[in-house]
């Protein structure tokens, strides 16, 4: 534990011109007294650490000193590729590995390039969770993440409907979508890939065996196909509408993207005023009403009759409301 801390202290001093005892204490999560003892231990071991006194003082390395302790471990190298999603790293229990990896990379850079990590971090940031919701980390996420990294089978219990099912799974990958975590896993029998929402797992136990990963498996492609199928599976009803040119333009922002794409692909020819008739796949009449209302006078519902009657009734109410003197 102390050896790792001493290495990290050297890397911090190598990456920065100077650091105070307080700054080192915060970075290393120890007391300033421990920093003083560690600096003395490094000096006794031949690492040229010295301290400047005064207001502008701090710990430094003798100019030009470069440590060779920059080799990345496997866990650090893998975590480094996720360092753009710090929240996800924390939730999976990989924040320490990523921090060590970034520090080693920074220490290995030429002095003229050592501001590159900070410059990039100040310009680009990925905030994965959706708006207006407090993201909650699933309790079992770190265990699943460890199994994913280790290619280790797990025995898991999962809430489905009113009950629970138990499955032996080969966890291939984790996906963070709008603040929710999903596990893409293969069920050995029958050998099919399935997607599970992580917060619905009630228990996860690591098995004694590892699985042989299918090298042809492409997690981004698999997720994209799954998401497309899931979105389309929700669209079980239809609505026939007429859209103005402005309605056509705004449709993808008002309804589900697969519905807009499918509906517009089968649209008829525009009439003399530029309006087109479109058959839209929709989740339900209730959902269609909420979505199409946002298009206002740029849409006319033709079918089903019950949905059209609802728009006629509400249009009359709006006319009466705004027609008042």
């Amino acid at each position: 534990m102390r050896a790792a801390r001493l290495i990290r202290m050297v890397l911090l001093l190598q990456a920065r011109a100077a650091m105070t005892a307080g700054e080192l204490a915060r970075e290393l999560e120890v007391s300033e007294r421990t920093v003083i003892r560690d600096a003395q231990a490094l000096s006794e071991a031949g690492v040229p650490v010295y301290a400047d006194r005064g207001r502008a003082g701090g710990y430094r390395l003798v100019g030009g000193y470069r440590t060779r302790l920059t080799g990345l471990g496997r866990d650090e190298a893998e975590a480094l590729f996720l360092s753009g999603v710090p929240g996800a790293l924390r939730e999976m229990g990989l924040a320490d590995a990523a921090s060590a990896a970034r520090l080693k990379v920074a220490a290995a850079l030429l002095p003229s390039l050592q501001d590159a990590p900070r410059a990039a971090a100040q310009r680009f940031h990925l905030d994965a969770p959706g708006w207006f919701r407090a993201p909650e980390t699933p309790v079992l996420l770190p265990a699943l993440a460890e199994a994913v990294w280790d290619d280790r089978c797990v025995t898991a219990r999962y809430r489905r409907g009113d009950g629970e099912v138990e499955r032996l799974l080969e966890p291939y990958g984790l996906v963070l979508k709008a603040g929710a975590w999903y596990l893409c896993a293969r069920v050995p029998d029958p050998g099919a890939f399935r997607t599970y929402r992580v917060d619905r797992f009630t228990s996860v136990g690591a098995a004694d065996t590892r699985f042989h990963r299918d090298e042809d498996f492409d997690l981004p492609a698999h997720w994209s196909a799954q998401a497309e199928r899931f979105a389309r599976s929700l669209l079980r009803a239809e609505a026939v509408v007429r859209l103005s040119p402005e309605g056509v333009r705004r449709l993808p922002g008002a309804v589900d993207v697969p519905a807009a794409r499918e509906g517009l692909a089968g649209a008829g020819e525009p009439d003399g005023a530029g309006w087109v008739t479109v058959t839209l796949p929709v989740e339900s009449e209730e959902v269609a009403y909420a979505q199409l209302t946002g298009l206002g006078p740029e849409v006319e519902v033709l079918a089903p009759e019950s949905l059209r009657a609802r728009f006629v009734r509400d249009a009359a109410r709006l006319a009466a409301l705004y027609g008042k003197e």
Side-chain angles (χ1 to χ4, degrees):
M1 185 74 174
R2 190 190 185 199
R5 189 175 70 244
L6 291 174
I7 291 172
R8 190 164 183 228
M9 184 174 178
V10 173
L11 293 173
L12 282 167
L13 293 174
Q14 183 173 310
R16 307 180 191 181
M19 296 183 71
T20 66
E23 289 171 339
L24 283 167
R26 285 192 295 274
E27 288 281 354
L28 300 172
E29 299 181 347
V30 295
S31 67
E32 292 189 24
R33 186 179 295 275
T34 298
V35 168
I36 294 170
R37 286 198 299 264
D38 285 352
Q40 183 176 352
L42 287 171
S43 182
E44 292 172 354
V47 178
V49 178
Y50 71 96
D52 284 334
R53 298 184 181 278
R55 294 182 61 185
Y59 288 93
R60 308 171 184 269
L61 293 174
V62 171
Y65 178 83
R66 307 287 294 175
T67 178
R68 294 175 182 246
L69 298 173
T70 54
L72 293 178
R74 181 176 181 83
D75 59 337
E76 295 168 346
E78 290 171 335
L80 182 61
F81 287 97
L82 293 172
S83 57
V85 281
L89 283 167
R90 286 193 300 272
E91 292 180 7
M92 290 190 291
L94 297 172
D96 289 343
S99 176
R102 287 193 297 271
L103 190 57
K104 289 182 178 181
V105 170
L109 292 174
L110 294 172
S112 61
L113 299 177
Q114 287 185 353
D115 66 336
R118 182 180 182 278
Q122 292 300 320
R123 286 162 173 80
F124 302 99
H125 175 67
L126 175 61
D127 184 9
W131 288 101
F132 311 119
R133 55 178 295 179
E136 295 183 4
T137 303
V139 175
L140 298 173
L141 177 61
L144 287 170
E146 184 177 351
V148 168
W149 284 119
D150 201 30
D151 291 343
R152 185 171 295 279
C153 296
V154 297
T155 301
R157 293 190 64 82
Y158 183 82
R159 291 196 305 273
R160 190 173 69 180
D162 295 332
E164 292 186 0
V165 294
E166 184 172 290
R167 292 280 186 272
L168 178 65
L169 301 176
E170 297 175 354
Y172 266 65
L174 288 161
V175 175
L176 177 60
K177 170 69 171 178
W181 285 94
Y182 296 86
L183 174 72
C184 297
R186 183 168 62 184
V187 182
D189 185 16
F193 283 97
R194 294 177 182 167
T195 302
Y196 301 87
R197 187 159 164 145
V198 172
D199 59 10
R200 292 180 184 167
F201 284 102
T202 58
S203 69
V204 173
D208 294 331
T209 58
R210 290 185 171 89
F211 62 91
H212 297 287
R213 182 175 288 266
D214 182 352
E215 296 302 325
D216 292 331
F217 178 78
D218 184 330
L219 180 60
H222 171 79
W223 175 258
S224 179
Q226 285 285 100
E228 180 80 12
R229 282 196 293 270
F230 175 73
R232 184 61 184 86
S233 70
L234 296 177
L235 308 176
R236 302 186 181 94
E238 286 184 347
V240 182
V241 301
R242 288 179 68 241
L243 293 167
S244 70
E246 176 65 12
V248 169
R249 188 187 69 81
R250 290 168 47 188
L251 184 67
V255 303
D256 301 295
V257 173
R261 185 167 58 242
E262 184 176 324
L264 294 175
E269 292 295 322
D271 61 18
W275 287 61
V276 296
T277 299
V278 173
T279 300
L280 279 176
V282 296
E283 184 175 342
S284 66
E285 184 174 312
E286 189 70 26
V287 172
Y289 174 77
Q291 292 175 335
L292 295 174
T293 298
L295 294 177
E298 309 303 330
V299 62
E300 177 190 1
V301 175
L302 303 178
E305 184 58 36
S306 56
L307 182 58
R308 179 179 173 85
R310 187 168 182 175
F311 273 84
V312 169
R313 183 173 62 251
D314 285 359
R317 291 175 61 195
L318 283 171
L321 181 63
Y322 286 99
K324 293 178 180 178
E325 292 295 335

